[in-house]
Amino acid sequence: MGAGPLRTAGAGTLRPEHAGAEVRLAGWVKARRDHGGVIFLDLRDASGVVQVVVDPAAAPEAAGVAREVRDEFCVALAGTVRLRPAGIANPDLPTGEVEVAAAALRVLSPSDPLPFQIDDRAEIDEVRRLAYRYLDLRRPRMAANLRARSVGIAAMRRVLDRMGFLEVETPTLIRSTPEGARDMLVPSRLRPGTFYALPQSPQLFKQLLMVGGVERYFQVARCYRDEDFRSDRQLEFTQLDIEGSFWGQDDILATLEEVMVEVVSALDATPPARPFPRLAYSQAMARFGTDKPDLRFGMEIVELGTVFASSRFQAFRTTLESGGLVAGIDAGPLGLSRSGLDALADRARALGGKGLVTAIVEEGGTLRSTLAKHLDQAETAALVAAFGAVPGDTLLLAAGEPRETRVLLGKLRLELGQPKGHRQLRFLWVVDFPVFEVTPEGGLAPAHHPFTSPVDVSEMEEHPERAVARAYDLVLNGTELGSGSVRIHDPALQRRVFSVLGISDEEAERRFGWFLRALRFGAPPHAGFAVGIDRLFSVLLDEPNIREVIPFPKTQTGLDPMTEAPTAVVAEQLRELGIDLRPEARAALEGEGEAPPG
Ligand code: ASP
């Protein structure tokens, strides 16, 4: 091919105006068609795909090479761009009107036979995809996701830089900060027996940056939480982490909205209107049965206390008399048969409900339901009116403890609701979260984290379970993207919150003395937020889970099928760290066929 650069143009950039140009291309053989004469290669590089034609009559040597190449060989070629003959342009390809007539071709690097096709249409087992992630990343969908993520993060940086934020890195080897999850620990070799924690988030460091006078901070921060793998989580994930001094909730919300609009626009989607709607936590629970409502469809929860207050339907009346809730959703024209309705009731039980009453509204406003015979005409009319239901609608009614009943209906709503309109983006702020949540053991835990400011301090001490926090969540299409809060900047108040949580002054001093001390040096009022970047892009790119937007994720069980991490280490490494494996751990390693350190 002679001297000169390997590449002078991107395969995907060639257009009719380049006809006649001499180009050098380099990339991968996406496909090869050899009909015994002219050989066609589809050449792919990061910019796209172009058709290459190797004619044995014009370039016998190149044709010899072309006969030998296979899928995903890495090749370089020199040739001339020309228009494709009339009628055989490929309208599906941006380069479809041209092709490159190769004069020279050489293999830069051959490929073993592939474990799977580099093709978006192929259904490939995920563990296999992850084991060969570098091949998976060549697939158009993954390549597009990586690119979109990069474009989106660049947009975040651009808008925050414009607003005067400083990008500051915080350490990843830290003393543990309580964010509610289990810490990932890193043993210290220099002080055997001691451990760093990997940050669950940069929370306390960003607050210290505010004490340090930074005023506007952000970071694209890696966070680590050693959680059991529930659904869509990873041991490590990325956050857009933000903090501002002399700020309150409205400043943070406005900043985040600007960031979201910039990111969505950068991805060529229609930017959401500002301000984003806001809903108090209590309203979200009452109307949608969840703290992260999906606003792409209605089907809101309707409370039926007044309809059934003096009803002959005893189950509902007694629930109401004992302080319970009767509520329902209008699931619209489901058109379910008897057995379909029974399956729905089974589903409600599987979701933890005690029972579901279904009613189909008939022409004339009567109900097809076991409930029908217990209701007089006025009650029936009141029920239909409460939902604003029309004939054909299926009403689902539940009764019980108020929160449980709302949560059940919220889940059914999500399963039955049909988001209308493709790629709608419905952002929502949920504000006024509680300060604490009651743990299954009956204790109190911070609903956000213990550095969140309560709205009313005496309320927090007298009725902690009722107290409202200056805390807020950002929700997109029913996914919680992130949380934030106005922080406590007064060390005395911080101690009072610890004390409600059952953390004594001594314990607070031992665990957080270093942080409380900083608050005593003129700490400014401050507030902040963190957006889960993986979650954000998985929703924006309409992917079913965050692994599709993470270049090298782990499986649901925390394994990396490519490197096989986590693995056992050699005895010497453990000795240096002052660590002995317990017999159970050794036995487990042997059971898995790993050699335990000798
Ligand atoms: N550190 C919090 C989190 O990771 C976010 C925040 O309050 O800024 O959820």
Side-chain angles (χ1 to χ4, degrees):
M1 269 175 60
L6 264 184
R7 176 150 75 184
T8 58
T13 65
L14 300 177
R15 297 289 182 275
E17 65 262 30
H18 300 114
E22 303 274 327
V23 291
R24 287 167 177 246
L25 304 178
W28 290 267
V29 176
K30 176 173 179 278
R32 169 176 153 283
R33 292 177 296 282
D34 181 352
H35 303 303
V38 173
I39 301 157
F40 293 95
L41 303 178
D42 289 340
L43 185 81
R44 184 192 66 240
D45 66 16
S47 67
V49 176
V50 74
Q51 172 165 289
V52 175
V53 187
V54 195
D55 181 351
E61 220 174 291
V65 178
R67 267 182 216 110
E68 299 305 314
V69 302
R70 294 293 176 265
D71 284 358
E72 298 304 318
F73 274 34
C74 184
V75 299
L77 62 95
T80 310
V81 183
R82 67 184 187 205
L83 293 177
R84 290 202 198 184
I88 52 171
N90 178 353
D92 297 335
L93 212 57
T95 61
E97 288 176 67
V98 298
E99 59 190 13
V100 176
L105 173 69
R106 83 181 148 102
V107 172
L108 298 173
S109 179
S111 170
D112 280 355
L114 299 168
F116 48 77
Q117 280 308 309
I118 310 295
D119 183 340
D120 280 346
R121 283 163 303 203
E123 275 284 333
I124 312 157
D125 169 59
E126 192 179 23
V127 173
R128 211 164 164 72
R129 286 177 58 198
L130 294 182
Y132 295 93
R133 189 61 153 185
Y134 40 86
L135 294 179
D136 195 41
L137 293 177
R138 290 187 194 169
R139 295 164 67 220
R141 163 182 169 192
M142 294 309 291
N145 285 357
L146 274 194
R147 185 168 296 268
R149 184 179 170 122
S150 168
V151 165
I153 291 177
M156 291 173 181
R157 290 204 156 99
R158 202 163 49 235
V159 61
L160 289 167
D161 180 59
R162 198 165 67 218
M163 290 193 277
F165 280 76
L166 240 57
E167 181 167 5
V168 184
E169 288 159 275
T170 53
T172 48
L173 294 177
I174 65 170
R175 181 176 180 145
S176 116
T177 36
E179 295 254 1
R182 203 179 282 117
D183 281 322
M184 304 275 286
L185 297 177
V186 179
S188 159
R189 180 182 58 84
L190 296 176
R191 290 186 58 209
T194 65
F195 295 82
Y196 302 97
L198 298 178
Q200 293 185 33
S201 89
Q203 184 61 38
L204 293 185
F205 285 94
K206 67 175 170 175
Q207 293 193 235
L208 294 179
L209 288 172
M210 297 304 109
V211 180
V214 168
E215 294 198 11
R216 288 182 181 199
Y217 144 93
F218 84 94
Q219 179 177 197
V220 177
R222 192 61 64 83
C223 306
Y224 305 85
R225 296 184 190 177
D226 191 2
E227 293 178 298
D228 291 331
F229 272 65
R230 278 181 290 127
S231 64
D232 203 11
R233 289 180 188 258
Q234 288 275 305
L235 295 174
E236 54 181 308
F237 58 94
T238 311
Q239 282 186 347
L240 174 65
D241 198 41
I242 289 187
E243 197 77 12
S245 288
F246 311 112
W247 272 14
Q249 174 169 305
D250 288 345
D251 303 291
I252 284 286
L253 267 47
T255 302
L256 261 299
E257 288 185 5
E258 205 151 326
V259 172
M260 289 303 134
V261 166
E262 186 100 0
V263 170
V264 171
S265 312
L267 298 187
D268 294 330
T270 313
R274 290 185 59 194
F276 300 170
R278 291 186 196 182
L279 204 56
Y281 167 83
S282 57
Q283 282 299 306
M285 290 306 297
R287 289 171 51 189
F288 301 96
T290 171
D291 59 4
K292 40 178 186 292
D294 187 340
L295 295 190
R296 286 175 298 171
F297 60 102
M299 214 186 272
E300 291 190 21
I301 296 172
V302 175
E303 296 191 13
L304 301 167
T306 46
V307 176
F308 291 103
S310 49
S311 171
R312 279 179 293 139
F313 189 54
Q314 209 180 334
F316 283 1
R317 207 188 54 234
T318 46
T319 299
L320 290 169
E321 282 165 1
S322 59
L325 175 75
V326 178
I329 54 175
D330 178 348
L334 291 183
L336 290 179
S337 63
R338 177 82 240 185
S339 60
L341 292 174
D342 289 346
L344 206 55
D346 289 346
R347 180 68 194 141
R349 263 188 295 278
L351 290 172
K354 293 200 184 58
L356 189 73
V357 177
T358 57
I360 296 175
V361 182
E362 298 172 311
E363 290 297 339
T366 51
L367 296 177
R368 180 147 35 96
S369 170
T370 49
L371 194 60
K373 59 178 180 291
H374 302 284
L375 302 184
D376 62 28
Q377 218 180 348
E379 284 170 328
T380 306
L383 180 65
V384 172
F387 286 105
V390 295
D393 283 2
T394 302
L395 310 179
L396 309 181
L397 313 184
E401 195 278 320
R403 188 183 167 89
E404 286 170 13
T405 305
R406 291 190 174 108
V407 169
L408 169 71
L409 289 169
K411 288 181 180 162
L412 290 171
R413 172 183 176 271
L414 275 188
E415 293 190 2
L416 298 169
Q418 287 301 324
K420 286 194 211 72
H422 191 52
R423 306 274 299 124
Q424 271 194 72
L425 296 176
R426 296 296 300 269
F427 285 94
L428 166 72
W429 291 111
V430 178
V431 299
D432 300 338
F433 268 81
V435 183
F436 303 109
E437 56 192 25
V438 180
T439 63
E441 298 77 38
L444 288 175
H448 186 41
H449 52 56
F451 313 104
T452 296
S453 182
V455 171
D456 178 336
V457 179
S458 19
E459 169 87 348
M460 175 204 61
E461 283 169 336
E462 282 154 32
H463 306 286
E465 61 308 320
R466 290 216 297 259
V468 172
R470 298 186 205 277
Y472 29 91
D473 271 9
L474 179 59
V475 176
L476 171 57
N477 293 359
T479 296
E480 181 206 318
L481 291 184
S483 322
S485 59
V486 175
R487 322 300 186 188
I488 297 167
H489 67 283
D490 165 6
L493 173 56
Q494 186 64 72
R495 279 181 197 280
R496 285 164 78 178
V497 171
F498 283 149
S499 134
V500 176
L501 286 167
I503 301 175
S504 67
D505 278 358
E506 298 73 55
E507 185 185 351
E509 192 51 42
R510 185 166 46 76
R511 289 173 59 193
F512 308 110
W514 58 277
F515 176 70
L516 294 171
R517 185 178 321 126
L519 295 185
R520 295 201 302 265
F521 290 94
H526 56 287
F529 202 87
V531 179
I533 285 186
D534 312 300
R535 293 248 186 107
L536 171 65
F537 287 109
S538 72
V539 180
L540 290 180
L541 299 173
D542 212 9
E543 286 290 3
N545 66 64
I546 59 174
R547 299 184 298 285
E548 303 296 344
V549 299
I550 298 176
F552 296 102
K554 301 196 175 38
T555 63
Q556 295 274 44
T557 49
L559 302 179
D560 174 4
M562 182 172 61
T563 67
E564 296 179 340
T567 58
V569 296
V570 295
E572 180 54 25
Q573 280 176 297
L574 289 184
R575 231 186 331 271
E576 279 186 339
L577 296 168
I579 293 178
D580 263 342
L581 289 190
R582 295 174 62 87
E584 330 58 287
R586 299 185 76 85
L589 282 181
E590 270 160 19
E592 284 166 19
E594 289 254 21

